[in-house]
Amino acid sequence: MKQKPYHLPLLLSLALSAPACLQAPPESEEASDHAEDAADDKAALGFGVEADAPDALAVLKIANTFSVTKLVAAGLTKNVAKRIVKARTEQGDFATLVALDKVPYVGIKVFSALRWHATIKKLYPTSLRVPLVTAYGESLPAMLNEALVEAGQAPLPDHVWINDDYAYGELRTDLRQRFAEAGLPEDFEPLAYATVGEFDANAETAQLATTCWIGNPWHVADVLSYQIDDMLSDQYTIWGWRVGDKTVLNEDLPPDTLEGEDTWNNYDTNSNEVLLLQTTYHDGPDYDVVPACRNPR
């Protein structure tokens, strides 16, 4: 079976564009001031989240744009809100979460409050973290970053964030151009998978974090369905999904399909994991599980 190339779009919300995500950030006095912070920002230090995650970027946008009054309405104390506004007024906008973390009395509780506000106000799209891994269990960045850096290009991250806002075709075009400039091969066929489970297995082999979601879990299946033609085999079909106490089934699903299906019938309704009921080239139903990247709150 010929599989289609995996769909790995980049997050484009919060005033980011694809070229901005794929190229080194422009030099600025503020960026220079935070160069040391940015080098350690991969895990956002005290906040423990990926610096490029949609929710992390939303928190930065809130911290850089909200007034004291709006920060208090978002769940912060007036004292902390004043400290955030004072710090950005005196030092410029927070370039990284590390810089925000250095404001006195700002820590995980403040970040969680701002992230929760961003979530309920839908300030970032429901997204899936997708590791950049080949079908042979190899890390694409590990294979290519040395050549990219030698060619004067920004290295690839370990993962990207996919949602409904960006088409993999655009990412493929951008990467092909970068690879050509660096003298690298343009063949993306190794980035092909049959199911999310197979993809995650390859990521584990490459010692990369597997797929997970942030935002609204009820939208995870929609994100995948929207991109199946580009990111997975054309024989992969989502017939239904479960998350929390919510269950959705395709109206065309044969009525006896779920009889005796313990995985589906015994799903823990207190779980944040999205259970996907799917069909592939195998006989009968199959399942994938997409966990939350972190506690929704």
Side-chain angles (χ1 to χ4, degrees), residues 5-12 17-23 128 130-133 140 148 153-163 165-180 185-186 188 191 199 227 230-231:
Y6 202 91
H7 189 144
L8 300 173
L10 293 174
L11 171 72
L12 292 181
S17 64
C21 290
L22 294 172
Q23 299 174 5
L128 306 183
V130 178
L132 283 171
V133 62
L140 189 64
L148 288 173
Q153 298 190 29
L156 297 176
D158 288 336
H159 58 263
V160 292
W161 294 87
I162 71 173
N163 50 62
D165 298 333
Y166 192 65
Y168 182 48
E170 296 176 55
L171 175 60
R172 287 170 63 86
T173 298
D174 292 334
L175 289 179
R176 279 200 170 104
Q177 180 178 348
R178 290 188 59 191
F179 288 8
E186 299 180 3
F188 281 76
L191 298 174
F199 174 63
Q227 301 174 71
D230 287 330
M231 69 185 295

Side-chain angles (χ1 to χ4, degrees), residues 17-222:
S17 64
C21 290
L22 294 172
Q23 299 174 5
E27 292 294 331
S28 67
E29 182 177 352
E30 180 65 22
S32 176
D33 290 342
H34 291 279
E36 183 176 352
D37 288 344
D40 295 327
D41 205 25
K42 185 175 181 181
L45 292 185
F47 298 126
V49 301
E50 303 91 334
D52 64 336
D55 54 345
L57 297 175
V59 167
L60 271 182
K61 185 174 182 179
I62 290 174
N64 285 328
T65 60
F66 275 26
S67 64
V68 170
T69 300
K70 291 185 71 174
L71 287 172
V72 170
L76 306 191
T77 66
K78 191 170 185 178
N79 177 49
V80 171
K82 285 183 175 180
R83 289 178 181 273
I84 289 175
V85 172
K86 181 175 184 291
R88 79 177 190 229
T89 301
E90 294 177 350
Q91 303 171 20
D93 285 354
F94 303 107
T96 67
L97 288 175
V98 175
L100 177 60
D101 199 14
K102 290 183 176 180
V103 176
Y105 299 100
V106 170
I108 188 63
K109 290 185 178 180
V110 169
F111 176 80
S112 296
L114 295 183
R115 181 180 178 273
W116 181 242
H117 181 80
T119 299
I120 62 176
K121 295 298 183 180
K122 300 179 180 179
L123 301 184
Y124 64 91
T126 296
S127 305
L128 306 183
R129 182 188 66 201
V130 178
L132 283 171
V133 62
T134 74
Y136 307 105
E138 299 168 309
S139 166
L140 189 64
M143 295 170 61
L144 302 176
N145 277 347
E146 182 176 352
L148 288 173
V149 172
E150 288 180 356
Q153 298 190 29
L156 297 176
D158 288 336
H159 58 263
V160 292
W161 294 87
I162 71 173
N163 50 62
D164 289 348
D165 298 333
Y166 192 65
Y168 182 48
E170 296 176 55
L171 175 60
R172 287 170 63 86
T173 298
D174 292 334
L175 289 179
R176 279 200 170 104
Q177 180 178 348
R178 290 188 59 191
F179 288 8
E181 292 173 355
L184 298 172
E186 299 180 3
D187 185 4
F188 281 76
E189 286 308 311
L191 298 174
Y193 305 92
T195 67
V196 174
E198 179 184 332
F199 174 63
D200 282 349
N202 293 328
E204 289 177 349
T205 299
Q207 298 184 333
L208 297 175
T210 56
T211 308
C212 62
W213 64 266
I214 62 169
N216 184 349
W218 295 358
H219 190 49
V220 169
D222 295 334

